[in-house]
Amino acid sequence: MASSSLFFLLFVVFAPLLSVAGPVAREFVYPNFTASYLHFIDNSGVFLSSSAFAAAFHNPGRQPSRYYLAVLHAPSGAVVWTANPAAPVPPSANLALTSASLALALPDGSLAWSTPRLAAPIAALQLLPSGELRLLDSANASLWSSFDHPTDTLLPDQLLPASASLFSAISDSDPAPGDYRLLVTPADSLLQWTPTSLVYWSISSDLRATKDSNFQVSYMAVNGTGLYLLAGDRKTAVFRMIFPPPTSSFPDGFHIAKLDPSGRFRILSFSPNESLSAVVLDTDFVAPSNDCDLPSACGSLGLCTPGANSSKCSCPPSMGPSPAGGCSPSDGSILANASCRHNAEGDGETSATYMSLGRRIGYFGTKFSMPVASGANISVCQYLCSGNCSCLGFFYKNSSKSCYLLEHHIGSLFIVDDGGDNLAAGYIKTLNRPSPPSPSNKFSSSVRFVIILLPSTATFLLVICISFMYFTTWRRNTPRMGGMTRIKSMTSGLRWPMAPEFSEEEEDDDDKEEEITITGLPTRPSMTAVAAMLEGTTPACEPRLKSLNYLSLYGGGSRDPNGRRGSATASPPLSYVSSQEVSGPR
């Protein structure tokens, strides 16, 4: 409903433009031509036609805002070429033909697709009756052709040169390149699974093909009689595959070769029925003919069993359906992926093991690829896979003792009908994560940890205790002498009379430390000098006793035991006393 409402809104907005839209051009349009789906909505987006083909804005699956510039086979509606398969545009996108290029632009003006730089100015855009869309110069020479840029289809008059490819679409509603391609080589034509580049079919291995010459292959071509690999002269067949006689009454039907989204290469014929009101589609050829030869017939590791009418999918032994599609191990182990970070063995987190796929199981990749080792035993295969980050498993062929590695991605498996000597045994790399330890294991680990840690802890504590005891003893035996004590020790060698400036209260206070003030010295030593003499860096000088005689006059006498000043008497002679008398312990 939402997409229908949006479409109706766009129709109303651009309705005025539709009234001035021109008719569908026949075979040619010229520079300064512009078109969009909304301009040609009445013609289902077709703006150019020629015979049975049309150039149009195509909307596969009727998905909103997903339009493509395409060439259609008009009677059948088959898309035979797409300009912008990986870059869909909205219906308002504009196609512009100028003298310089053919370009498809988004509404904001940015390019979604354009032809490359050309050798000459463009004179016209032409759609040929063969379905080829090309740009011409003024001399009608081709400057660019859609046949030189094929997508998933080969038309009858189109040659696919060696080294060129057809790519499958993702789905019928999404023409972006998918997982399969048809490649023409100088010796063959191959079908490849692009995630691994593994070959799963070739013309040279198909029993329906005939080899006519040993020339080098230069082109692939298809017409009403068959499929051909041609030499350089475009006439001599190297391989040919003749179609069965037509079943309809119209033998001259239209044939195309198409690589479909499933990876099958088909030759389709379109013929009108007897009432000429519809087109009958016949499949004249399909490769590979067996569904189980397709790389992803049953998903990754899915087991394909051929049937009379259709194949059957299941899972190998020890595996079950995976939520993501395909199969996965039933025991919970994890499939390896192409990453060293997850596949590394011995990293303490994961370890790689190999799960057997069981008996009589084959893989498409071993049919056309070369072994990585021959004449080796199975342990060599395991060693090679374990040392390769991109390796996800291997097959070991006992008859030739050969190893085939499965790298990057794993496709489907199939049941092997004949179990002869050519049978190979398959092994898939898995990652087993260690289970969490049980409670008993946790207890034993804890005991082991304590046993290891206890001696170290005891030794550390013992060292701390011894260090503390030594430090305490050292502090106890070291005399504590402050700055004032050092000064007293220096000056206590002399018994100085007390200065009269001290009050009686200060002299009688036994709780206060006795302070000796050297007031009568002609020169008083500085603290720096005192410290230097204490440290022994400066020798102590002899006191000049004569300069101290004035102290006897200054003191004037002695004090009586009651603290009163007595009669003036001569002061006692100056004498040395030990430092303990002044600054010793109290």
Side-chain angles (χ1 to χ4, degrees):
M1 290 296 293
S3 60
S4 301
S5 301
L6 177 62
F7 183 82
F8 177 76
L9 179 61
L10 291 174
F11 177 81
V12 171
V13 171
F14 291 95
L17 299 177
L18 302 179
S19 61
V20 297
V24 175
R26 293 288 300 176
E27 194 172 346
F28 293 96
V29 292
Y30 303 95
N32 299 325
F33 169 82
T34 60
S36 71
Y37 175 78
L38 296 176
H39 281 85
F40 292 90
I41 192 171
D42 290 339
N43 300 313
S44 299
V46 175
F47 61 88
L48 179 63
S49 66
S50 177
S51 184
F53 293 92
F57 294 94
H58 181 55
N59 178 224
R62 298 188 180 277
Q63 302 177 77
S65 299
R66 295 183 66 88
Y67 287 77
Y68 303 86
L69 175 61
V71 175
L72 311 175
H73 180 242
S76 64
V79 178
V80 298
W81 180 79
T82 305
N84 56 318
V89 297
S92 57
N94 187 65
L95 178 69
L97 175 66
T98 66
S99 60
S101 68
L102 177 67
L104 184 62
L106 297 173
D108 63 2
S110 59
L111 285 178
W113 173 84
S114 176
T115 55
R117 184 185 298 272
L118 304 174
I122 298 172
L125 172 65
Q126 181 185 23
L127 179 61
L128 278 68
S130 63
E132 179 184 8
L133 189 68
R134 65 178 183 173
L135 296 173
L136 305 175
D137 63 10
S138 58
N140 287 334
S142 178
L143 298 171
W144 174 90
S145 172
S146 62
F147 277 12
D148 295 332
H149 306 275
T151 50
D152 62 354
T153 303
L154 187 66
L155 294 174
D157 293 328
Q158 183 178 3
L159 295 176
L160 186 66
S163 75
S165 302
L166 299 180
F167 283 90
S168 69
I170 291 179
S171 67
D172 292 334
S173 59
D174 187 352
D179 290 339
Y180 309 98
R181 75 167 179 167
L182 172 72
L183 173 66
V184 179
T185 71
D188 210 339
S189 181
L190 315 170
L191 288 177
Q192 287 184 322
W193 191 36
T194 54
T196 61
S197 297
L198 288 175
V199 175
Y200 60 98
W201 176 85
S202 68
I203 283 184
S204 62
S205 65
D206 197 305
L207 298 178
R208 296 168 290 180
T210 302
K211 186 172 183 179
D212 290 341
S213 69
N214 291 322
F215 287 104
Q216 184 171 317
V217 175
S218 296
Y219 303 97
M220 172 185 274
V222 62
N223 58 30
T225 62
L227 180 68
Y228 300 88
L229 297 183
L230 302 176
D233 61 1
R234 304 188 181 189
K235 296 180 180 179
T236 304
V238 180
F239 286 95
R240 58 187 172 90
M241 192 172 293
I242 304 301
F243 300 151
T247 56
S248 65
S249 57
F250 295 88
D252 296 329
F254 172 72
H255 292 76
I256 64 171
K258 192 176 188 71
L259 182 60
D260 69 22
S262 70
R264 294 177 177 86
F265 180 58
R266 300 177 183 271
I267 308 296
L268 304 174
S269 62
F270 300 90
S271 302
N273 63 10
E274 296 183 358
S275 64
L276 301 180
S277 61
V279 172
V280 177
L281 185 151
D282 291 327
T283 299
D284 298 325
F285 169 82
V286 62
S289 57
N290 186 348
D291 289 346
C292 293
D293 289 334
L294 293 171
S296 297
C298 294
S300 178
L301 290 175
L303 186 60
C304 183
T305 304
N309 298 321
S310 62
S311 59
K312 178 183 177 182
C313 293
S314 60
C315 287
S318 70
M319 289 194 178
S322 172
C327 301
S328 59
S330 300
D331 61 359
S333 57
I334 303 172
L335 294 175
N337 55 41
S339 171
C340 286
R341 183 171 62 88
H342 297 292
N343 295 353
E345 295 189 70
D347 61 357
E349 296 181 359
T350 58
S351 60
T353 58
Y354 292 88
M355 174 182 290
S356 174
L357 291 174
R359 302 180 59 186
R360 302 177 63 85
I361 293 179
Y363 189 65
F364 79 93
T366 64
K367 292 183 178 181
F368 297 95
S369 60
M370 298 296 294
V372 297
S374 298
N377 56 35
I378 194 170
S379 61
V380 173
C381 296
Q382 180 173 333
Y383 174 79
L384 293 174
C385 188
S386 298
N388 185 345
C389 294
S390 62
C391 182
L392 307 180
F394 65 89
F395 272 77
Y396 179 71
K397 188 173 291 187
N398 191 52
S399 59
S400 60
K401 299 186 181 301
S402 302
C403 299
Y404 299 85
L405 300 187
L406 311 183
E407 297 182 274
H408 304 293
H409 295 272
I410 299 180
S412 299
L413 309 169
F414 61 87
I415 296 292
V416 179
D417 293 331
D418 55 337
D421 294 336
N422 204 35
L423 184 64
Y427 299 86
I428 301 301
K429 182 191 288 186
T430 60
L431 302 177
N432 291 328
R433 298 189 182 277
S435 57
S438 61
S440 59
N441 291 338
K442 289 183 179 179
F443 178 76
S444 61
S445 299
S446 301
V447 172
R448 191 181 302 110
F449 177 76
V450 171
I451 292 175
I452 294 173
L453 185 61
L454 187 58
S456 302
T457 304
T459 302
F460 176 76
L461 293 177
L462 182 60
V463 171
I464 293 296
C465 291
I466 293 174
S467 300
F468 178 76
M469 293 172 64
Y470 176 81
F471 179 76
T472 303
T473 303
W474 178 79
R475 288 293 303 272
R476 184 178 301 159
N477 295 333
T478 301
R480 286 177 286 184
M481 181 178 294
M484 184 56 69
T485 304
R486 291 185 180 182
I487 297 174
K488 291 178 181 180
S489 298
M490 190 228 170
T491 58
S492 62
L494 296 176
R495 187 180 301 273
W496 303 101
M498 303 309 295
E501 289 81 3
F502 284 110
S503 65
E504 294 180 1
E505 181 180 356
E506 291 175 341
E507 292 183 18
D508 294 338
D509 190 357
D510 294 335
D511 295 333
K512 294 182 180 180
E513 184 177 9
E514 183 179 0
E515 195 88 17
I516 298 177
T517 306
I518 309 175
T519 59
L521 291 175
T523 57
R524 183 179 181 180
S526 66
M527 293 300 295
T528 303
V530 172
M533 285 186 284
L534 287 174
E535 294 173 356
T537 58
T538 301
C541 61
E542 292 291 325
R544 291 177 293 178
L545 300 179
K546 292 183 179 180
S547 62
L548 301 176
N549 290 333
Y550 75 96
L551 292 177
S552 61
L553 299 176
Y554 187 80
S558 60
R559 296 175 181 269
D560 60 17
N562 296 326
R564 294 185 299 271
R565 187 180 300 273
S567 62
T569 58
S571 63
L574 187 65
S575 61
Y576 286 91
V577 295
S578 63
S579 61
Q580 286 80 358
E581 296 181 24
V582 178
S583 58
R586 290 181 175 83

